[in-house]
Amino acid sequence: MKARVTVLTLGVADLERAVAFYRDGLKFATEGIIGQEFEHGAVAFFDLESGMKLALWKREDIAYDSGVQAQNPNPAELTLGHNVSSKLEVDQVMQEVESAGGTIVKSPHDTFWGGYSGYFQDPDGHLWEVVWNPELSV
């Protein structure tokens, strides 16, 4: 199998609230919620870099569509890495996130491997790392 991941879907409890956080708070580009005319179909897509998409879909609808039973979310199951080009940009993004209603769970700090990062959670508890890695160019 080739690694052709093009959409990352986050399960959310309240789709409208989640869209507002990413669209209005973080300024991610979206056409808004689509598919509302279909039972279990309401979803929002956001454009990310390199052609990737972030999708927000209600947890209950993901459970219905996939046939798996929804369970309590665990924020330590997955992290999303937002790589930036400087320590200053890490600090700026974290301030933006906090202003948008995100929860800072670990303030930006120098890492043991020579980078600089901090962690936040979106309103549904999804864990994001905002990171400057001197070995990666962004």
Side-chain angles (χ1 to χ4, degrees), residues 45-59:
F45 292 98
F46 297 82
D47 296 324
L48 303 177
E49 296 293 318
S50 304
M52 287 277 300
K53 299 269 187 197
L54 173 69
L56 301 177
W57 200 11
K58 289 182 184 176
R59 285 186 185 112

Side-chain angles (χ1 to χ4, degrees), residues 98-110:
E98 192 167 37
S99 295
T103 302
I104 306 302
V105 295
K106 190 168 189 179
S107 296
H109 62 284
D110 291 313

Side-chain angles (χ1 to χ4, degrees), residues 41-127:
V43 65
F45 292 98
F46 297 82
D47 296 324
L48 303 177
E49 296 293 318
S50 304
M52 287 277 300
K53 299 269 187 197
L54 173 69
L56 301 177
W57 200 11
K58 289 182 184 176
R59 285 186 185 112
E60 63 196 47
D61 295 336
I62 293 172
Y64 175 84
D65 193 59
S66 66
V68 299
Q69 186 171 350
Q71 300 177 5
N72 291 330
N74 177 353
E77 294 288 334
L78 170 78
T79 65
L80 300 165
H82 178 65
N83 290 286
V84 297
S85 59
S86 69
K87 289 182 175 185
L88 177 61
E89 193 174 354
V90 170
D91 293 335
Q92 291 170 336
V93 169
M94 294 295 275
Q95 288 172 356
E96 194 177 320
V97 163
E98 192 167 37
S99 295
T103 302
I104 306 302
V105 295
K106 190 168 189 179
S107 296
H109 62 284
D110 291 313
T111 65
F112 70 90
W113 47 266
Y116 186 75
S117 76
Y119 286 90
F120 75 88
Q121 287 180 293
D122 73 5
D124 285 279
H126 298 292
L127 189 60

